[in-house]
Amino acid sequence: MKSFCLFENAISDIFYEESALNGVKRVANTVSEDLFLVTGKKPNVTSILENCISEQIIITATLGNSALIDSFIERKLLNVNDITGKRECYVIKVVETPFDDFPKIKQALVIIGSDKRGAIYGLFRLSEMCGVSPLVFWGDAEPEKKDKIHLEFENDIVSKQPSVKYRGFFINDEWPAFGKWCSEKYGDVNAKAYDKVFELLLRLKGNYLWPAMWRSSFSEDGPGLENARLADEYGVIMGSSHHEPLCRAGVEWQNHYTQYGNDNTWSFISNSDAITEFWKDGVLRNKDFEKIITIGMRGENDSHLMGKDATIQDNINVLKKAIAVQNQLLKEIFNTELKHIPRMFAIYKEVEDFFFGADGSDGLRDFDGIKDVILLLSDDNHGLLRAIPQAQDKPHSGGYGIYYHFDYHGGPYSYEWLNHTNLVKAWEQLTMAYEYGIREMWIVNVGDIKGNEYPLSFFMDLAYDYDKWGISNLDSAAEYTRQWITAQFGSAISSSQKTQIHNILDAYTTWSAVRIPESLNPDVFHNNFHEIENTYNAITNIMAQASVLRAELPRQCLSAFESMVYFPSMAFFNTMLLNLEAGMNHIHAERGSLVANRYSTSLLEKISMDRFYMDGFHKILNGKWNHMMESAHMCFRTWDDNNWTYPIAQNIAPIPHPKILVSFRGDNTYNLGHHWQEKIPICNAEMIRPDINKIIFDIDSRGAIDFNFSITCDKQWLSFSKNNGKSNLKEQPRTSIEVFLDRDKLGNNGEEIALIQINFEFLDGTIKMALLNVKASNNNYSRHPGAFLETQNYLCINAVHYNEKTDVDGMGWQIVSRLGRTGNAIKSFPVTKNWINESIRPYVKYDFIVSETREYILCFYLSPRNPMIKGGALKGFFSVNDSQPKSFDIVESDFYAGGSNKDWSYGATNNIRKISIPISLNKGLNHLKFYAAEANVIPENIVIYPKDIPLPETYLAPPESYRVPEH
Amino acid sequence: MKSFCLFENAISDIFYEESALNGVKRVANTVSEDLFLVTGKKPNVTSILENCISEQIIITATLGNSALIDSFIERKLLNVNDITGKRECYVIKVVETPFDDFPKIKQALVIIGSDKRGAIYGLFRLSEMCGVSPLVFWGDAEPEKKDKIHLEFENDIVSKQPSVKYRGFFINDEWPAFGKWCSEKYGDVNAKAYDKVFELLLRLKGNYLWPAMWRSSFSEDGPGLENARLADEYGVIMGSSHHEPLCRAGVEWQNHYTQYGNDNTWSFISNSDAITEFWKDGVLRNKDFEKIITIGMRGENDSHLMGKDATIQDNINVLKKAIAVQNQLLKEIFNTELKHIPRMFAIYKEVEDFFFGADGSDGLRDFDGIKDVILLLSDDNHGLLRAIPQAQDKPHSGGYGIYYHFDYHGGPYSYEWLNHTNLVKAWEQLTMAYEYGIREMWIVNVGDIKGNEYPLSFFMDLAYDYDKWGISNLDSAAEYTRQWITAQFGSAISSSQKTQIHNILDAYTTWSAVRIPESLNPDVFHNNFHEIENTYNAITNIMAQASVLRAELPRQCLSAFESMVYFPSMAFFNTMLLNLEAGMNHIHAERGSLVANRYSTSLLEKISMDRFYMDGFHKILNGKWNHMMESAHMCFRTWDDNNWTYPIAQNIAPIPHPKILVSFRGDNTYNLGHHWQEKIPICNAEMIRPDINKIIFDIDSRGAIDFNFSITCDKQWLSFSKNNGKSNLKEQPRTSIEVFLDRDKLGNNGEEIALIQINFEFLDGTIKMALLNVKASNNNYSRHPGAFLETQNYLCINAVHYNEKTDVDGMGWQIVSRLGRTGNAIKSFPVTKNWINESIRPYVKYDFIVSETREYILCFYLSPRNPMIKGGALKGFFSVNDSQPKSFDIVESDFYAGGSNKDWSYGATNNIRKISIPISLNKGLNHLKFYAAEANVIPENIVIYPKDIPLPETYLAPPESYRVPEH
């Protein structure tokens, strides 16, 4: 055990040699500032040993660039065997009396990088060890103040080589938020801004970046080359987005084409000479900076390469020609073999067809021009893998990368406002990518950066240390979140407060993945099964917790909390409330009920809260993040925000007529009073469930005429919170009646039905009557312990609540917490194992009781995953009551289609895929087995309902059915 | 010329003999009260000649019942040859010194009826001659006060025998309005109420009535038999509605079945004995009163006879059995041959199939049981004939009647609130009925009576005097309306005021037939082609005229005006405005435009005006008509008023973002500011029309951020009411810009296009731009005088604007004013002439110019008439550019189907039928000929548009196209 006193009264100086790399020097100064934040004292940063005044100093250096380290090695003060020859590694060691000729320096904390980024990562590791979060700037994580820092080392700190070679993010869709923020704070998207971006990337142990490009030209706006120069200094490897080849930003062509001719056409058929020269100048300009060169070609502005008339083969021909020219250019400029020039080719959207081949054309797959090039695959823009390399595929010399999305501008909905990533889903898909061999490059579209600090941290750490956070750690996301919260808030808050923050983040990322705010609308959630009511209550509960927590937290935690937790989550939750209010407003307006007006008022309040939370966020730390929450966040469909409106507030004027509306709470049916043609009262059967003993019905009004009412019932087992009353429509348009079930009075005679009669006497003398039925039952199912019970004409079982699980060779279904849309789900492991052609498959088994022998619909609610093979299908297997397993298509072939497939869009929008299959069941106990097929088959819920009785609409699935207790 | 001084200082006594019929005596007293209203003096009514005090007296008597008249005849003081042996005729003569023994009586005005009703009609004729309207009570037509009444007779007044034998109305759908009114005014629907109803029927020269029956039993509620007794005294022939056989009201069975057994089933299979006895007692009860007995059987409450499982043949068998039993009962009770017992069998809805036969069954058509029975056909419940007797049909011994509707409770929409009958349509269909031999019985469903006084008057007069108002009088409705207005308002108002009342009635009955208020909704009218705007302006103009007129009219005209014209029409017009406001509200709310809120406010104002007009009507003459305007009048679909709501008022909360909306006035397209993916500006081509030189565009906003704007244009020929300005969204969410065309600057180079650019500078610094195109042309078409011109990608020609008309043998198309939905239409005469199988047909020809040689859609807008033969079709014939005439189906067979056919419902709801046919046209001049086929083919508009360019939605058809002036 070694100890290093970094700070106690005095603070250690930071020393690097004059020969040290500029980037290392720069970061050494940044770390010095970090330490100032913790200690209130700024370490002296120097390259002149004589200037060091502290007895303990920090030394940083890079292997192969440091005579000092060489001398230390020679003097056997240390060895660097652990990192020698490795990428981006560092070692941190304490060296006693490092300088014979400077005995005043008693100890040195030596941070040695195997290369520049290794040294930098090591320096930032020191910051973290002292309590400085990587999000000190971007997350406003104010470090805890310390009066001393003693670092204890059991062993040297030796970093691992990063798991994924190129790890980084893409600033994209950056207007209005990031763009306006940069303009206000730095005057442009320039080097002052990128200084903060590069620093973040490196603190997160990333190494690769795609710069903002909507209206920016990275290599021109620094000003001039300053952005690119600074990146290189920092050791940031620059890329450009998938449609910006050869170091040229997308906007450059139209700005500069006149240098190359009169034709502004971005066509490699009609204008290839000009474009080639344009590319050449781009590469020459950025020649000396570390980079990965994007090759290939797409249309301008992220569009199709050629017109709609062109065939796949036409496109392939042009692409081949362009890539050949590009390779030739690069060979000439760099004067080396192509394999030494890092290149990336992105297989994005329609480029897939050109790569894999389609319509009888062969594709670029075996094209020599992409040899040694990193093939960058893409998720489906919504965080889900597709068309990934399979075991049977030929290995690709350049390796594979993945372009992943935490932010997206396009169909079916753009999401650019806040974070909507559930870490578990990202973990589940990204670990699959890694397991399937995508390890060369991970780049994530992170939008404006701000707002995505939390998932970005996870993404970078997962890419950096797969051993720790990867597939073997089923609890990775939760464990990461706990660690992340500690990194941001330190020890200043209690563990219960940390848990609350965790809960808020979980609720926020659960609900925002249930439905991104941009795609919310008043019709998403339904009144049936209390869905709107329950969702509203869940949201208001967590908001109340967040508000209480905000009031409780110590001052120094407030900026991080408000910036990364409170305002984003509250702003998001408020969009939920706003749409739920609007939903109820529209439902009641459609009914003509005066209750609608109450919802209209609260809807308008929620709309004003939308602006309130935005303003609150923009005012954090005197406006530090002004503009960052300005993105469209309602009805943001496809490419533009032209649908951006708040929901309409609907108001009802009462009709001059006595007209009541009676409805059961949480159900969309209603009754306008008994009518001679209407023979069947509305009915509530919730209390058929043994665990429900109370329901509510509401008496609303369409007219302005007040009434007296009295309630009678033909059964003793029901009682009411009120048996009569008087309306006061002006003050209170709704009268709610609680209905209580006394199960002792109900008896055991099977299903019983009560008739409730409500008599109305209106002030204008009109007499009306409404009839309601309530069903209840005391049936005993104890002979089927653990089985789920059909009530209200449905069964819903959460997939994790199986009665039995059978593995094969230790492989099979595992519960993954929070993987499902609203809760846990199951997934088969190992993820590379495909069971489709196996004769025996692992399975889970469910027991359930249905009320009649008849035809049912079995509806699987599955996570909306894509086929892993391009054009491939996705299949599931199930069996009912021990029949032979049957297969069913979850996704047929030709899915996605560049984002235009309807079923794919449904999944991307609703975050669920529903597959309905007719089955026959027998009255009483039945079994369902669900078999492992492939890793992308993830059941969340199993819903069963009679074929002839449509299930009332829900968004989330009905509540889980009653389960007979185990003995 | 004879003169009779009825009143001058003294007023003539009214004398009848003691032996006179009670009904005649009663009406003589009523006439005495009429005369009091006019003169302020009440004639002495007496049967004792000695009691007469005036020198001139009025004598009334009935042939065969008056010794006095016999004596007059004997004394050759008069003869009655003109009316002897005739039905319901009267003669009015002046007899000098009628009584030798009463020389004081110098003159008698003798009113002699050929029968009771004849005498009564004669008496009421006298009232009318003195200025008392038949609507003195029901229409509040206050008679003009006179200080003398000298009646001049060029000849004796000899009435004609009525054209239709049984003429009357049906009080139906009488709750809440008529029912509550009766209850409040008379305590029940009893004889006090019926006294007013019978009087009205007789004043209108009717003789037949179906009583209210929703909750009433006519022969029990008088109290007791008093209703029936009073009817008989009055000479009112009572019937019962089509589903109430053998003098029994519909409600009686459930009230009395226990007298006949324990089974309340209304089934002539399972319960025929009880029902037979029930019927028997009904007939026995009403035996002595004049009546027409409804025979046959339907289900209870106007429903189907047998269940859905029963076949047509099952139904026919039951019906035959029931009718046989009914006939047998009647023969026994009346102890006479069946042909002497007036009976009626209604062929209503599904009964049609039982009558005509269907599904291989023969039907009752030749069933002996209906021999000598009046066969009551029905319109389609919406005033349109169907399945009427054809020339080739065997004559029916009992003759035919028609059950017509001015009020209806059922699908697709109920109409019970106000009058919605356009007299011209009623005239057109009822004269067809008459021409096709339906002359035995005309009965009209008149709802609550009140509200339908105007069409009811016309119906009764048309049935009474077909010679005057029938088929030969193409201007019948207008002439009748002039006369009717004079009858209600007398000479107290100027002829210009009468014309204004006429205009209001025309506008009211036009627009309420365009769309009945019950079926109005905010989506009916469209913003395209200025439809909402133009409709709104037309309605507000006529409302303003009505208000001015109301302020101008003399006091004594006010009650009639308010009761029959002002309040009903204003209440109706207000429902139009309300829905138009709601339409604009919803259109702009859907756009997210703040302008929506302005419409929301005015919508709520209009809703309050709905209650205001209702209240105003209910307060006329101290509440005389309280409750009469209480029927549901919004969204009254099918059988119940459960959809009765006011339109939803929609409000928009501004988004926190700069976002303008630019749109051309009267067009549904809009633009949210130029967007990089949006290449085509919105375009206005209205000024391609030579007669349009001004258009308007509006700058609205979705966001709350104010802006400055400036307008530039690349063409000199356009100028703007403003070239720049500044928004003030809080005060005025819309900025409107007028665009003026200077045709002199435009030149003659064909179609030209201008680009308008609007630059916006928002207060938050955002810069935006919007682009608009305006097309204009000075093309010269004078080489095609009279031709219509395609502009804006459409042609619309009003059918009456033909260029040429060719008759055949003096037969052919005629213009009928106001026959179309919004204007005049053409119809082929004579109406009994069918041209379908003729080789030469009359035609009209239209000339028009189209812009390109291409495929077009030719869309005929036809009056929504039905086939005249059950199950028959309706065909039209047209030819384009002198090709052979082509036939097209307007209605295929199996139409209507008891009111459930979708196409029929479309016609009934929209009051139009649209038939689209693809045609090829040549650039330049084309011709269209439209041929006579049968009388129910009534073209209103001809719309032509390019097949590939959908016509923007309109309800009324686009505005008529520009027509090249004749030289």
Side-chain angles (χ1 to χ4, degrees), chain B residues 24 61 74 168 202 249 261 326 345 464 482 488 512 571 573 591 595 622 724 813 892:
Chain B
V24 175
E74 208 165 298
L202 294 167
Q326 291 170 340
F345 175 63
Y464 179 78
R482 285 192 291 275
Q488 315 315 323
S512 64
F573 288 138
R591 292 181 184 182
V595 171
N622 297 317
N724 50 60
W813 292 104
E892 292 177 64

Side-chain angles (χ1 to χ4, degrees), chain A residues 183-375:
Chain A
S183 303
E184 180 179 300
K185 305 300 175 195
Y186 306 108
D188 197 356
V189 188
N190 56 21
K192 285 183 207 152
Y194 274 109
D195 189 15
K196 291 294 175 196
V197 174
F198 298 148
E199 182 188 314
L200 174 70
L201 178 74
L202 294 168
R203 282 186 191 266
L204 293 173
K205 301 175 285 297
N207 59 7
Y208 181 55
L209 188 83
W210 290 359
M213 42 61 68
W214 265 23
R215 301 185 200 166
S216 299
S217 175
F218 181 77
S219 299
E220 298 182 315
D221 297 344
L225 262 180
E226 183 56 17
N227 287 336
R229 194 209 57 73
L230 183 64
D232 192 66
E233 177 181 321
Y234 260 120
V236 170
I237 306 165
M238 288 307 299
S240 52
S241 81
H242 53 96
H243 57 100
E244 298 175 301
L246 272 67
C247 309
R248 283 294 199 177
V251 298
E252 288 191 65
W253 171 248
Q254 292 299 338
N255 291 338
H256 300 307
Y257 75 91
T258 50
Q259 295 174 28
Y260 305 100
N262 296 321
D263 185 357
N264 76 338
T265 318
W266 182 252
S267 162
F268 212 68
I269 295 173
S270 65
N271 208 15
S272 61
D273 288 350
I275 292 172
T276 303
E277 287 303 303
F278 167 74
W279 284 338
K280 184 177 173 186
D281 285 352
V283 177
L284 284 171
R285 176 185 63 192
N286 294 66
K287 183 170 182 286
D288 296 330
F289 306 132
E290 193 177 7
K291 67 199 153 301
I292 297 170
I293 296 170
T294 298
I295 64 165
M297 188 173 183
R298 286 188 78 212
E300 281 185 293
N301 293 321
D302 203 3
S303 65
H304 286 240
L305 178 56
M306 295 175 74
K308 282 185 183 164
D309 302 341
T311 64
I312 299 272
Q313 189 62 54
D314 293 341
N315 275 283
I316 291 169
N317 293 343
V318 172
L319 253 178
K320 280 187 174 174
K321 180 179 156 195
I323 291 172
V325 167
Q326 291 170 340
N327 282 338
Q328 186 57 33
L329 264 182
L330 295 174
K331 245 196 300 200
E332 286 167 14
I333 292 169
F334 292 101
N335 195 22
T336 178
E337 279 180 75
L338 276 174
K339 68 177 171 189
H340 301 308
I341 306 170
R343 287 162 301 151
M344 178 274 281
F345 175 62
I347 302 168
Y348 186 68
K349 281 196 176 173
E350 85 286 355
V351 180
E352 276 185 7
D353 281 343
F354 312 153
F355 176 75
F356 290 102
D359 295 352
S361 295
D362 265 347
L364 298 169
R365 212 165 180 163
D366 299 317
F367 173 49
D368 195 54
I370 58 168
K371 205 182 150 210
D372 301 320
V373 170
I374 299 169
L375 294 178

